[in-house]
Amino acid sequence: MPPGNDENSDASTARSHNETAPLLQQSPSEASLSPAPASATPHGSSDSSPTSEHEAWIASSQPASREAPRQRGLQRLQQLQQLRQRQDQGANAHSQPFSRKWWFRRIRYYVPIVGWLTTYSLGNLATDIKAGFMVACLLVPQTLSYSALTHLPPAYGLYAALVPALVYAMLGTSRHLSMGPEALISVLTGTLVKGQIKHLYAAYSPNIPPPDAIDRFAAGVSCAVALATGLFTFALGIFRFGFLDSMISESSLRGFISGTAIFILVGQTRIVLGIPPSTSVHSTPLNDLKYILTHLHQTHAATAVVSLASMALLLLLRVAKRRFKTTQWLQLVPDTLVVIIAATTASWATELNATHGVGIFGRVDGGLPKPAIPRIPAYAESKDIVSSAITITMIGVVESVIVAREYASRNHYAVSSNRELVALGMSNIVGSAFGAYPAFGSLSRSKLNDRAQAKSQISGIVATALVLVSLLGLLPYLYHLPLSVLSAIIVDAVGSLLSATPGAIAFLFGVRAWADLFLLLFICMCSIVSSVETGILLAVVISLIMVIKRSNTPRIRLLGRSAVDIPELRPISNLAPFSNSSRCISFGSFVNDAQTHNVRQENVSDSEGSPYDSDQDAGGLLRPTEGVLIVRVEEPLYFANAGQLHARLNRLEMFGDLSVHPSEAPQMKPTRAVVFDLVGMADIDGSALEILLNIVREYGRRGVRAAFARVCDDVRTKFGLSGMAEAGAEYEFEDIHSALLHVERQLTVSIAP
């Protein structure tokens, strides 16, 4: 082949590459994977057959036609597409439903331990063990103390800290949430158990049931409510109701927590002072307080001294930790464990029970619980168990999810509310089969876990192992522990629940949030005067009513313009400065200004909180447009918030301001046209669409023109299907001023002679 032909062939190849590059739009990596052109293949290459070499020689020796570069480019593009298809097929093979990798990803998602354990760093093991030990030093004394709130033997408190915590460590997404008994949940469980025991007493009347029967009955009730709580929580997670933790307002929750804390303090004060228990099976916190005040003369001096000394030691240790924050070993001292060891040793050395009659822990049978399916015991009311389970679920879910989110945010990792609900539900379902009463996350223990710098759920597993050790071998050594010391620990823990209440009251008072302040105090008083169940019921019901009330009101705003020569439309927040209707901007002058200035969509402010959201600006006071309502709808309309739309539009027609009381005299001139700015309405459901259609029809009967501007495609389609145009409304306008011009022309034609 002559050399000149080779040069022409190379030049033709280069030109074809340059011409087809925009068509291919390939990356360098794709180009490297693509086969080289035939003309560029070296002669004698083992990768090319003789036939293909001969065809390439013939193609290179002929003059390049105009269509050849495009054909080669299309062929190369087809090769790239085939390569991509093969790559996509290889990738899709791993994502096919029920494939091996598909199952692994699903298991890793729903059983998080499968994911994080395979990547766990052994360098974090020492830190997690230390954190688990510190949490266990607080967990074990708390479980023994909280069992007294549930009217169950102490071992059942350890049961609630054993299996539920282990299940949560495998299924939970939070690395710091400490699972186990919690003060509020223990009180709610104890209230249920105490209320059901009266049915047992009635069944044995006129005799008294034996202590073993009472313990079995109480355990059966607590396990049944744990199972029901777990099922409710699991269902909330499966059906993705993780948002419910934000449905109870902060004021309602704070009021309930404060009332419950006072309820616990009143109940434990009797034990701290050593006053004999009341003969009443069911009583309110107010009645318990009256009983204590009328029986102060029966205070047991030795018991009171032991209790006050224990609380003083706890307070001293807490103050020392605040005073010496830099002393590392002091920060690691477990307060409650020190108090229990000191009190048990002192009681054993001085024989407080024999010499002074101080009540002690006594002999408690430990050992592992026997698995059994929970059943509602005879003489127990199933409806009471279900209602209590719903209450416990709501409180436990709110507290646990809030704590999990808080510490996840502090340590820069994510938690899933729905997966947390599934983990909490499964923990209680499995735990109920092993003697556990309802268990959820604890704020105090989670705070300690975070302070100990826990890195993973291994810390929870370590704490669970130490609870197991305590259950199998520690209980006999607590024989001489004074019971009043456990009450002192409860009082100390409950004090932290009340510590935030004064600050919350001061904040609400400072910002003049009178409704929230009243709600907090009202729910707190109801929890004290009536019962804990009444407090939580009011907190939930009032919060839901507030949510429904606010979602039931559509967010609409009246738009106006400045009195000076500035045609921009801005939201009007108050009409008080220009209640005189003569101060309104005339419709004709407004439209003329819009035509003169060629005002388009960008002149209208859409953002909340912009400088245009006030009723004053650099140009002066904002004025409504005479005879025309320009209404901006700022949210999607649906059945809940569209019901009040008609009434609110009527108030805008009369007063121009939704804050004006209906008893005032109308301030606006008769309305001739209404222009809706739907820039914020991304969707509308069938019920709201029917309501809006009826409003437009009513406007038509009154001779009021209606127009819609800036309607999104989905809403425009629904308008067309509903017959909005037949009802007399136009909705094809791209901006408000186009709609105003159209409305003016219609009004001009209608009044022409």
Side-chain angles (χ1 to χ4, degrees):
M1 180 185 303
N5 289 344
D6 287 338
E7 293 175 358
N8 292 335
S9 177
D10 294 338
S12 175
T13 304
R15 285 195 303 269
S16 67
H17 175 73
N18 293 331
E19 291 175 0
T20 57
L23 177 65
L24 294 177
Q25 296 180 351
Q26 63 178 356
S27 63
S29 60
E30 293 171 341
S32 63
L33 293 174
S34 303
S39 58
T41 304
H43 295 289
S45 173
S46 60
D47 295 337
S48 302
S49 63
T51 303
S52 62
E53 291 179 358
H54 180 69
E55 292 175 352
W57 180 83
I58 294 175
S60 63
S61 62
Q62 294 177 352
S65 65
R66 182 176 299 178
E67 297 297 329
R70 181 177 297 275
Q71 292 177 356
R72 285 196 296 269
L74 292 176
Q75 291 175 357
R76 192 167 185 180
L77 180 61
Q78 292 176 356
Q79 293 174 353
L80 287 175
Q81 291 177 346
Q82 292 174 359
L83 178 62
R84 288 173 180 171
Q85 290 177 358
R86 288 194 297 269
Q87 292 175 346
D88 293 340
Q89 290 174 358
N92 293 334
H94 300 301
S95 60
Q96 289 294 328
F98 310 112
S99 65
R100 185 174 182 181
K101 288 197 173 183
W102 184 91
W103 277 111
F104 178 76
R105 283 196 296 268
R106 294 302 183 274
I107 293 174
R108 185 175 58 185
Y109 181 83
Y110 291 107
V111 187
I113 191 174
V114 176
W116 62 259
L117 191 60
T118 56
T119 60
Y120 182 75
S121 175
L122 293 178
N124 297 328
L125 184 59
T127 303
D128 283 335
I129 291 177
K130 180 193 72 173
F133 177 79
M134 292 182 62
V135 170
C137 290
L138 177 62
L139 176 61
V140 173
Q142 279 189 347
T143 56
L144 296 176
S145 304
Y146 292 160
S147 62
L149 299 175
T150 61
H151 305 283
L152 293 168
Y156 285 88
L158 294 174
Y159 295 161
L162 185 63
V163 176
L166 183 61
V167 174
Y168 180 83
M170 294 186 291
L171 302 180
T173 59
S174 175
R175 305 170 190 169
H176 297 86
L177 187 68
S178 177
M179 188 74 174
E182 206 274 331
L184 295 179
I185 304 302
S186 299
V187 170
L188 294 172
T189 304
T191 303
L192 171 66
V193 171
K194 188 176 180 180
Q196 296 301 307
I197 285 178
K198 66 181 181 181
H199 299 303
L200 183 65
Y201 274 84
Y204 276 82
S205 181
N207 299 321
I208 298 177
D212 291 343
I214 296 177
D215 290 343
R216 287 194 302 270
F217 181 83
V221 172
S222 64
C223 291
V225 74
L227 177 61
T229 300
L231 291 174
F232 287 140
T233 309
F234 181 80
L236 290 178
I238 287 295
F239 293 106
R240 307 184 70 82
F241 279 86
F243 62 90
L244 287 180
D245 64 287
S246 58
M247 295 297 291
I248 300 180
S249 68
E250 181 66 23
S251 300
S252 301
L253 185 61
R254 176 54 53 190
F256 168 72
I257 291 175
S258 302
T260 305
I262 295 175
F263 169 81
I264 297 174
L265 287 176
V266 171
Q268 295 303 307
T269 299
R270 182 192 63 79
I271 302 176
V272 167
L273 298 178
I275 299 176
S278 173
T279 56
S280 176
V281 177
H282 183 71
S283 61
T284 64
L286 188 60
N287 292 335
D288 291 342
L289 181 60
K290 291 180 180 179
Y291 175 81
I292 292 173
L293 294 177
T294 56
H295 291 77
L296 283 176
H297 60 279
Q298 297 183 4
T299 300
H300 193 272
T303 301
V305 169
V306 172
S307 303
L308 295 176
S310 301
M311 287 189 286
L313 181 56
L314 287 171
L315 180 61
L316 179 63
L317 290 172
R318 187 177 298 109
V319 171
K321 289 184 176 182
R322 293 177 182 174
R323 183 76 168 78
F324 305 99
K325 293 183 179 180
T326 58
T327 306
Q328 188 66 26
W329 67 268
L330 183 60
Q331 301 299 321
L332 300 179
V333 172
D335 305 358
T336 54
L337 185 62
V338 170
V339 171
I340 284 182
I341 293 175
T344 304
T345 304
S347 175
W348 169 74
T350 59
E351 297 183 355
L352 289 177
N353 178 252
T355 58
H356 298 88
V358 176
I360 60 175
F361 194 72
R363 184 178 300 278
V364 176
D365 295 331
L368 294 175
K370 297 180 180 180
I373 298 177
R375 300 180 183 275
I376 299 178
Y379 315 119
E381 294 287 343
S382 57
K383 63 178 182 179
D384 293 340
I385 293 177
V386 172
S387 61
S388 296
I390 296 175
T391 303
I392 292 172
T393 298
M394 299 187 67
I395 295 299
V397 164
V398 170
E399 284 194 309
S400 300
V401 174
I402 288 177
V403 172
R405 284 180 177 175
E406 177 181 355
Y407 288 103
S409 176
R410 288 186 182 183
N411 293 275
H412 312 292
Y413 65 91
V415 295
S416 169
S417 298
N418 295 312
R419 292 164 67 190
E420 283 294 295
L421 294 181
V422 171
L424 294 171
M426 286 301 301
S427 298
N428 282 285
I429 291 174
V430 179
S432 65
F434 291 88
Y437 64 86
F440 284 94
S442 168
L443 175 60
S444 59
R445 296 194 300 268
S446 301
K447 183 188 300 183
L448 179 61
N449 203 19
D450 176 64
R451 189 183 303 168
Q453 300 178 348
K455 303 299 182 182
S456 69
Q457 290 88 329
I458 290 290
S459 62
I461 297 176
V462 172
T464 303
L466 294 177
V467 169
L468 178 62
V469 172
S470 302
L471 188 61
L472 296 177
L474 180 63
L475 294 181
Y477 295 98
L478 299 178
Y479 181 89
H480 293 281
L481 174 64
L483 293 176
S484 58
V485 174
L486 298 178
S487 297
I489 294 174
I490 295 176
V491 170
D492 179 75
V494 169
S496 62
L497 298 178
L498 284 173
S499 60
T501 303
I505 293 176
F507 174 79
L508 295 176
F509 186 84
V511 299
R512 300 181 181 180
W514 309 124
D516 292 311
L517 180 60
F518 172 78
L519 189 62
L520 188 154
L521 298 176
F522 175 71
I523 293 178
C524 179
M525 290 302 299
C526 289
S527 300
I528 297 172
V529 175
S530 179
S531 64
V532 175
E533 294 88 343
T534 303
I536 185 57
L537 180 62
L538 287 174
V540 173
V541 171
I542 294 176
S543 297
L544 291 179
I545 290 176
M546 292 172 62
V547 171
I548 295 173
K549 179 179 180 297
R550 294 184 179 181
S551 64
N552 190 43
T553 304
R555 293 175 55 197
I556 59 176
R557 302 183 72 174
L558 181 66
L559 301 183
R561 56 161 292 187
S562 175
V564 299
D565 192 19
I566 300 177
E568 295 179 1
L569 292 172
R570 305 177 183 179
I572 299 175
S573 61
N574 190 2
L575 280 181
F578 48 95
S579 58
N580 188 355
S581 60
S582 64
R583 291 187 173 184
C584 296
I585 304 298
S586 66
F587 183 32
S589 65
F590 178 87
V591 177
N592 291 333
D593 288 342
Q595 292 174 333
T596 302
H597 291 272
N598 192 22
V599 180
R600 305 305 294 172
Q601 178 178 351
E602 58 269 15
N603 292 88
V604 182
S605 170
D606 295 331
S607 59
E608 290 290 341
S610 67
Y612 298 153
D613 284 354
S614 62
D615 57 1
Q616 290 188 354
D617 61 6
L621 296 175
L622 296 179
R623 305 284 191 263
T625 304
E626 180 181 348
V628 178
L629 285 182
I630 307 174
V631 180
R632 174 179 295 170
V633 181
E634 299 183 331
E635 64 180 354
L637 292 179
Y638 63 108
F639 70 94
N641 63 359
Q644 297 294 323
L645 181 61
H646 193 189
R648 293 174 73 81
L649 288 173
N650 288 337
R651 290 186 66 180
L652 284 179
E653 286 190 61
M654 296 176 62
F655 308 106
D657 190 355
L658 295 173
S659 62
V660 178
H661 196 273
S663 63
E664 300 291 336
Q667 302 176 5
M668 304 286 288
K669 286 187 176 181
T671 301
R672 295 184 295 158
V674 179
V675 175
F676 292 93
D677 179 17
L678 303 188
V679 65
M681 197 180 84
D683 190 19
I684 185 171
D685 70 353
S687 300
L689 183 59
E690 185 177 3
I691 293 173
L692 191 59
L693 190 62
N694 291 332
I695 292 174
V696 172
R697 288 170 178 167
E698 181 185 345
Y699 283 153
R701 289 191 294 267
R702 292 168 46 195
V704 177
R705 304 292 182 179
F708 296 89
R710 299 199 286 184
V711 183
C712 69
D713 294 339
D714 293 340
V715 176
R716 184 182 290 109
T717 301
K718 293 181 180 180
F719 278 5
L721 295 175
S722 65
M724 186 67 72
E726 290 78 1
E730 298 287 342
Y731 51 85
E732 297 293 341
F733 304 104
E734 297 297 330
D735 55 67
I736 299 176
H737 300 286
S738 299
L740 288 171
L741 291 172
H742 175 77
V743 169
E744 184 196 25
R745 285 194 294 268
Q746 285 188 325
L747 293 176
T748 303
V749 171
S750 63
I751 63 177

